């Protein structure tokens, strides 16, 4: 997060705190619905330091929804009574009933409390909470409710990225139904599917995973996406959500804890939820309850742990957090990553294995227009073309001789005809839709696109070098030479010795803040995929996995080398 974004979030916290403290809560008559809802709302308003800004904004939106739609007490009270009558599987006592906590009452009141002309208002829910909140168990109650009281032909899908994760939630549903119907007189209960026996009420619930092949012909009324932050693509989510078109009151519920999968679909959804809560992109159909530290909260502070986990003392004890934090400090980077993502509920990466961390890269990022900078700046351009049918990165680096500050703007291209079958296709389509990736017609890269880009840069700035892979981009280099760029072509072999100097120079600039890179999530994706490998010739970044992409990081280094060796 760059400094401007930090300041905006700090201001947002102050603003919502002041607004909430000016609310006359008694006029909402929350106690008439359930005293626990009032307890939760009053607690968030009275103690802003104990609740993060997104939790505060969720409370503010809840009050706004009551003002707009009223709160329908009947459905809320009916569900509360139903929930507390269910018998859930327990680690210690077989099947056990539970009382809803104030925070759970608030969550379910948002789901069941708002209706408009007989239609459900809230249709998408995100419960973004740390591990051991009991989110999987409590959300399973929604599937049981849908089977019993939903549409006559209700279809409930419990989905996750892996089979093991999907079955955790589904097993709770299965055991709850068996407790209600032990003789299976009304429902046939299998390991992966539950079906109503009554042909006039053919409701069903099913367990699905990302690898499942039988997803055609769905007509979902309820979708529960478990641990969606781990998903690498949105294909399963999209299939389920798009199958709900015929339903009058569909509901999709995402329950997840943070992860290190920044390039998955949930990280982008999380940013969208924050825009909804902040009022930047209002949407009454979405309820998001997000638990994470506020800016500046210390990860070793029990007050932070209490802020991010509303069920400390209920489903998890404080000494568990104490033990896990001490273990993370003792055991190193992998354990600390698990503590940050699963218990602090923040997106993080293993910094011990990463060259330029996401935090450092984000601090250098800003919205930059390539054609609005000083035309007196010298420029270098670097191109990485590993394959003609894969991602191509082009970095333009500009240097201000007056203050030594550097700006790097990286453009990304991909041939649209090569999307099908590419392991990153879903991610590329999302980037293209958001304007971060240029899709080029045809199955392979069109060199003219890169040429026209370079010509346009050359019309504004003095290009001193064009760096290219001496072996992997021979055809492209010849193409550029044919257009007249021969004098400034600068071959850069991809060996360690050619990258060691640029690695040190780029890292120094990014850490001391003397460089700005364009605010494109593909840049962050590329840096996150880089690990430094050392040999006798020095350091060079390599990609973590076979399908990872680091093209943007490589072209930034090549552009840096063009400046470092501009006279050669």
């Amino acid at each position: 997060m760059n400094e401007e974004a930090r300041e905006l979030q700090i201001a947002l916290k102050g603003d919502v705190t002041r607004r909430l403290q000016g609310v006359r809560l008694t006029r909402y008559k929350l106690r008439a619905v359930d005293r626990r809802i009032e307890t939760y709302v009053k607690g968030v308003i009275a103690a802003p330091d104990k609740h993060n800004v997104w939790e505060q904004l969720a409370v503010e939106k809840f009050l706004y929804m009551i003002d707009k739609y009223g709160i329908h007490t009947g459905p809320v009270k009916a569900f509360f009574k139903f929930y507390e009558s269910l018998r859930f599987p327990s680690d210690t006592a077989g099947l056990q009933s539970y009382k809803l906590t104030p925070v759970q009452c608030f969550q379910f009141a948002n789901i069941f409390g708002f209706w408009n002309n007989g239609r459900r208002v809230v249709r998408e829910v995100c419960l973004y909470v740390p591990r051991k909140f009991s989110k999987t168990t409590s959300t399973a109650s929604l599937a049981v409710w849908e089977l019993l009281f939903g549409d006559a032909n209700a279809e409930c899908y419990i989905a996750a990225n892996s089979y093991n994760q999907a079955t955790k939630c589904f097993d709770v549903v299965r055991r709850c139904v068996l407790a209600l119907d032990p003789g299976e007189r009304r429902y046939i209960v299998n390991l992966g599917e539950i079906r109503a026996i009554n042909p006039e009420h053919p409701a069903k619930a099913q367990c699905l995973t990302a690898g499942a092949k039988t997803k055609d012909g769905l007509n979902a009324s309820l979708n529960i996406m478990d641990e969606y932050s781990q998903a690498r693509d949105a294909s399963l989510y999209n299939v389920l959500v798009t199958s709900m078109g015929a339903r009058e009151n569909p509901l999709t519920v995402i329950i997840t804890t943070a992860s290190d999968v920044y390039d998955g679909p949930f990280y982008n959804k999380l940013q969208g939820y924050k825009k909804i809560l902040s009022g930047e992109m209002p949407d009454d159909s979405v309820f998001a309850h997000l638990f994470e530290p506020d800016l500046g909260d210390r990860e070793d502070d029990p007050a932070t742990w209490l802020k991010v986990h509303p069920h400390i003392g209920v489903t998890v004890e404080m000494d568990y957090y104490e033990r896990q934090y001490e273990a993370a400090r003792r055991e190193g980077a992998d354990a600390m990553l698990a503590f940050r993502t699963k218990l602090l509920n923040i997106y993080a990466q293993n910094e011990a294995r990463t060259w330029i961390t996401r935090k450092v890269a984000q601090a250098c990022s800003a919205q930059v227009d390539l054609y609005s900078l000083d035309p007196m700046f010298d420029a270098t351009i670097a191109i990485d073309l590993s394959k003609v049918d894969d991602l191509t990165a082009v970095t333009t680096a500009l240097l201000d001789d007056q203050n030594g500050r550097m700006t790097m703007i990286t453009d990304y291209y991909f041939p649209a005809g090569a999307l099908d079958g590419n392991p990153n296709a879903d991610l590329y389509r999302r980037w293209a839709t958001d304007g971060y990736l240029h899709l080029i017609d045809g199955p392979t890269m069109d060199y003219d696109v890169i040429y026209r880009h370079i010509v346009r840069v050359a019309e504004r700035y003095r290009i001193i070098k064009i760096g290219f892979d001496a072996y992997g981009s021979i055809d492209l280099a010849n193409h550029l030479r044919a257009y007249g760029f021969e004098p400034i072509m600068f071959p850069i072999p991809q060996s360690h010795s050619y990258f060691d100097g640029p690695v040190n120079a780029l890292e120094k600039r990014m850490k001391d803040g003397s460089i700005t890179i364009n605010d494109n999530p593909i840049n962050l994706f590329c840096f996150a995929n880089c690990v430094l490998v050392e040999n006798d010739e020095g350091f060079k970044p390599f990609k973590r996995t076979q399908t990872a992409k680091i093209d943007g990081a490589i072209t930034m280094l090549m552009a840096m080398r063009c400046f470092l060796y501009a006279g050669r």
Side-chain angles (χ1 to χ4, degrees):
M1 179 180 294
N2 59 35
E3 193 59 33
E4 181 182 3
R6 290 177 62 86
E7 291 176 359
L8 288 172
Q9 189 165 321
I10 291 170
L12 187 62
K13 173 87 176 181
D15 290 343
V16 69
T17 297
R18 285 188 293 273
R19 292 195 301 268
L20 284 175
Q21 289 177 347
V23 168
R24 186 165 61 86
L25 193 58
T26 54
R27 76 180 182 85
Y28 291 94
K29 300 179 181 179
L30 297 178
R31 189 174 301 187
V33 186
D34 192 287
R35 185 182 297 270
R36 289 166 292 183
I37 303 173
E38 183 184 65
T39 298
Y40 174 76
V41 171
K42 185 180 290 186
V44 173
I45 293 174
D49 290 343
K50 295 182 179 180
H51 303 272
N52 75 54
V53 62
W54 311 113
E55 192 182 359
Q56 291 176 285
L57 288 165
V59 164
E60 184 178 47
K61 185 181 179 188
F62 176 65
L63 300 179
Y64 150 82
M65 295 281 281
I66 295 177
D67 285 334
K68 185 173 180 178
Y69 301 103
I71 185 165
H72 291 235
T73 59
V76 175
K77 288 184 174 182
F79 182 79
F80 286 8
K81 184 177 181 180
F82 164 78
Y83 183 99
E84 293 176 348
S85 70
L86 288 176
R87 289 188 294 159
F88 295 94
S90 165
D91 292 336
T92 57
L95 295 175
Q96 184 174 344
S97 295
Y98 297 102
K99 290 291 185 181
L100 287 163
T101 63
V103 64
Q104 288 175 314
C105 287
F106 175 77
Q107 291 170 346
F108 288 125
N110 274 274
I111 296 171
F112 287 95
F114 302 116
W115 299 80
N116 188 22
N117 296 322
R119 304 289 292 275
R120 181 194 299 276
V121 176
V122 172
R123 297 177 174 229
E124 180 178 340
V125 174
C126 176
L127 304 183
Y128 180 61
V129 290
R131 183 172 287 175
K132 296 188 178 295
F133 176 80
S134 190
K135 61 184 182 296
T136 299
T137 298
S138 62
T139 310
S141 65
L142 294 170
V144 183
W145 173 274
E146 185 71 9
L147 278 171
L148 271 61
F149 307 116
D151 292 347
N153 63 337
E155 292 185 18
C156 317
Y157 296 101
I158 293 90
N161 203 46
S162 69
Y163 178 77
N164 287 340
Q165 187 61 47
T167 54
K168 286 180 182 178
C169 184
F170 188 82
D171 189 58
V172 177
V173 178
R174 187 178 66 84
R175 294 178 67 181
C176 284
V177 172
L178 283 173
L180 292 170
D181 184 25
E184 295 188 54
R185 290 180 299 172
R186 294 179 175 83
Y187 293 90
I188 299 172
V189 182
N190 297 316
L191 288 178
E193 187 177 65
I194 302 167
R195 283 187 177 272
I197 294 175
N198 184 352
E200 296 181 1
H201 189 90
K204 71 172 184 178
Q206 189 175 346
C207 180
L208 286 179
T209 63
K213 295 180 180 178
T214 56
K215 305 192 196 80
D216 295 330
L218 303 184
N219 182 26
S221 56
L222 170 69
N223 297 319
I224 297 174
M225 302 294 299
D226 200 358
E227 292 301 349
Y228 193 41
S229 71
Q230 299 286 347
R232 294 284 178 178
D233 65 68
S235 56
L236 178 57
Y237 175 88
N238 290 338
V239 166
L240 290 172
V241 171
T242 56
S243 77
M244 306 178 96
R247 299 289 183 173
E248 287 192 358
N249 292 301
L251 180 65
T252 295
V253 182
I254 294 173
I255 52 173
T256 193
T257 299
S259 75
D260 60 348
V261 185
Y262 282 94
D263 54 309
F266 179 72
Y267 183 75
N268 279 347
K269 287 190 75 68
L270 180 60
Q271 311 318 306
Y273 293 139
K274 291 179 177 179
K275 290 178 180 178
I276 291 170
L277 288 171
S278 68
E280 184 180 343
M281 300 179 68
D283 189 341
D284 292 354
S285 71
V286 174
F287 166 62
H289 214 197
L290 315 178
F291 289 87
E292 63 181 23
D294 277 318
L295 293 175
D297 288 344
R298 289 171 43 197
E299 62 185 30
D300 62 344
D301 187 349
T304 303
W305 306 341
L306 286 165
K307 179 184 287 187
V308 302
H309 203 310
H311 273 176
I312 287 181
V314 180
T315 58
V316 63
E317 298 302 322
M318 179 63 81
D319 64 356
Y320 175 80
Y321 265 75
E322 293 169 351
R323 293 195 308 272
Q324 292 301 308
Y325 181 71
E326 289 305 316
R329 290 182 61 195
R330 182 175 61 248
E331 296 169 14
D334 287 340
M336 185 57 75
L337 176 66
F339 181 83
R340 288 170 177 155
T341 56
K342 302 309 174 189
L343 296 183
L344 285 184
N345 205 35
I346 54 176
Y347 267 78
Q349 60 186 177
N350 190 334
E351 297 185 0
R353 297 180 181 176
T354 303
W355 166 44
I356 299 293
T357 68
R358 189 179 188 89
K359 182 177 180 180
V360 169
Q362 280 185 316
C364 298
S365 300
Q367 291 187 352
V368 185
D369 181 358
L370 176 57
Y371 301 102
S372 66
L373 300 174
D374 192 333
M376 299 302 292
F377 291 169
D378 284 342
T380 66
I381 292 180
I383 307 155
D384 181 41
L385 181 68
S386 54
K387 293 181 181 178
V388 295
D389 61 351
D390 207 342
L391 193 68
T392 292
V394 181
T395 293
T396 303
L398 300 153
L399 181 64
D400 184 347
D401 287 329
Q402 298 298 316
N403 57 24
R405 185 168 189 83
M406 187 174 285
T407 302
M408 287 190 177
I409 300 165
T410 304
D411 289 274
Y412 295 90
Y413 303 87
F414 190 88
L419 278 171
D420 291 342
N422 188 287
N424 294 317
D426 186 70
L427 187 59
Y428 291 170
R429 288 189 176 98
R430 177 153 33 97
W431 283 336
T433 299
D434 293 341
Y436 298 116
L437 174 66
H438 305 287
L439 288 182
I440 307 304
D441 292 338
T444 60
M445 267 304 303
D446 181 354
Y447 294 150
D448 277 338
V449 173
I450 297 173
Y451 163 72
R452 289 193 296 271
H453 174 77
I454 294 173
V455 168
R456 191 177 176 198
V457 174
E459 288 173 348
R460 182 173 179 86
Y461 306 101
R462 184 174 77 95
I463 302 177
I464 57 176
K465 294 287 183 186
I466 298 176
F468 64 99
D469 182 352
Y471 301 101
S473 301
I474 296 175
D475 289 343
L476 174 60
N478 289 335
H479 196 71
L480 291 172
R481 288 190 181 100
Y483 281 112
F485 288 108
E486 171 68 35
I488 54 174
M489 297 296 292
F490 188 57
I492 303 176
Q494 301 295 291
S495 61
H496 283 68
S497 62
Y498 284 85
F499 279 81
D500 187 60
V503 161
N504 292 324
L506 184 58
E507 181 176 351
K508 181 179 184 303
R509 280 187 175 272
M510 294 190 78
K511 289 182 176 179
D512 68 20
S514 62
I515 190 171
T516 298
I517 64 174
N518 59 315
D519 190 11
N520 186 323
I522 311 180
N523 292 335
L524 306 182
F525 174 75
C526 290
F527 279 119
N529 287 329
C530 288
V531 289
L532 281 185
V533 176
E534 183 182 18
N535 68 11
D536 293 340
E537 296 179 340
F539 286 96
K540 183 191 173 185
F542 284 80
K543 54 189 180 182
R544 292 176 183 272
T545 63
Q546 185 174 359
T547 58
K549 307 302 296 182
I550 63 173
D551 305 65
I554 293 297
T555 54
M556 290 186 210
L557 288 170
M558 293 167 66
M560 179 66 76
R561 182 172 178 85
C562 288
F563 271 121
L564 294 177
Y565 299 92
R568 303 185 185 182

